[in-house]
Amino acid sequence: MRPPYPKLLEIAQRSASANSQDVLQTLVLAAAELTGSQFASILLPDSEGGTLSFAASLPAHSKALEGVAVPVESSIAGWVLRHGQAMFVHNAQEEARIYREIEQQLGMFTLNLAAAPLMFDGKTLGVLETLNKLDGNYQHEDLQILEVLAAYAAVHIHNQRLNTENAHLHQQFEKLERMKRDFIAIASHELRTPLGLVLGHATFLREIVEDPDAQQQVQAIIRSSLRLKEIVEVLSKMDNYQTGMALIRNRAIALDELANEIIQSYAEQTRRKNLSVAFDVQSQPVELMVEGDPDKIAVAVNNVFQNAVTFTDENGTIQVTLKKIPGYVRLTVQDSGIGIPENDLERIFERFYQVESHMTRRHGGMGLGLSVAKAMIEMHGGRIWAESTPGEGSTFTIMLPALAA
Ligand code: ADP
């Protein structure tokens, strides 16, 4: 027998390559060559499990074996499949388990044979079989070689299945993403018109209603409609960013001024919760310039700051820090709030994701603020992320490319 190692090495390398189309074919050829057999094949069970068919065989036979089904109950391959054990047969003419019909397809008699199961994770995925060793009978070394090759085949088949499953899941994911996007686009668009009408009529009523109770009711309608309008705006903005339809108007922005304005706009809320807010500017104003669309960057900073206010209990602290670092301006918003569990730290930037479920949460919101913030920051070539110790607080960091001097 020829030493198998160079061939096995070649096979190992081939199976590890990306183009794995002909891996099974290579394994079959190697099985025939290394064991000196007239014929070799890989058989895989069909979906119902009662038969096996040929997934690969020597090129001279593959045409003849197309569509041929080997019964699991009355064949050696079937026995190996069911028992998960390698075996050889020396005197095949006396062996009852041989499925003779194959001999006609192949145009040869079976003199002897060896077969090994394709094992993966304790399951038998198929069978590697060789027929008719040309010089003498199959030995244990032959079985060992077949087992090594069968293990490669099993890993390959398992990988192929994973790939197929993966591609399928990916397709489903894309489809769901599309549906979600379409839903948002349609819903926000369709809500706009009736909402405008509700607001219009309510505003009209406010002018003519004199009864104070009715006035209050109308005010409530207007407040809620305005809130709803805000939500619809966020949704449709989100849609625009994701479909790349949003325009960026580039200007030089003084990030310290922008942050300061946002902090000031929450003065009333932070006073009510008795939050102490510190704004620490650690670099010169000229160093804190970035380039971009001020409205969009303001939305991102606003959403992060708003969360800090929302998720920090009374008497807590919020610290906003601005600092120039090489190539970037870094803004951090650190709060002493409820914090975010580690598993959620990345997911909070996904659309509609909220740490507490809708049913149990004490805060409003739709789980869109951070995904909008992320979209805005990333469209400016920046990054945003969160760190947190649950129960102690969270730190959100935004890095934006610094304006070139
Ligand atoms: P929402 O508008 O619902 O707050 P966001 O996208 O802004 O949506 O935030 C997603 C979720 O991330 C929030 O619902 C909350 O669970 C969590 N989160 C965001 N910021 C903070 C923070 N500073 N402290 C604690 N949890 C936060």
Side-chain angles (χ1 to χ4, degrees), residues 268-282:
E268 176 56 25
Q269 284 186 50
T270 51
R271 192 190 55 75
R272 250 188 282 138
K273 287 181 91 170
N274 195 30
L275 301 176
S276 72
V277 179
F279 185 28
D280 184 13
V281 180
Q282 299 186 344

Side-chain angles (χ1 to χ4, degrees), residues 227 303-312 333-341 344-345 347-358 361 363-373 386-388 393-396:
R227 172 82 191 105
N303 291 0
V304 169
F305 190 77
Q306 184 179 41
N307 282 342
V309 174
T310 305
F311 295 102
T312 304
V333 178
Q334 183 176 17
D335 65 51
S336 65
I338 61 173
I340 302 161
D344 295 307
L345 280 176
R347 300 208 61 195
I348 52 174
F349 293 96
E350 292 171 15
R351 273 181 299 162
F352 301 116
Y353 191 81
Q354 299 179 317
V355 174
E356 280 182 79
S357 86
H358 255 298
R361 49 192 277 120
H363 310 283
M366 290 204 301
L368 281 174
L370 289 177
S371 61
V372 171
E387 292 150 294
S388 178
S394 314
T395 303
F396 282 79

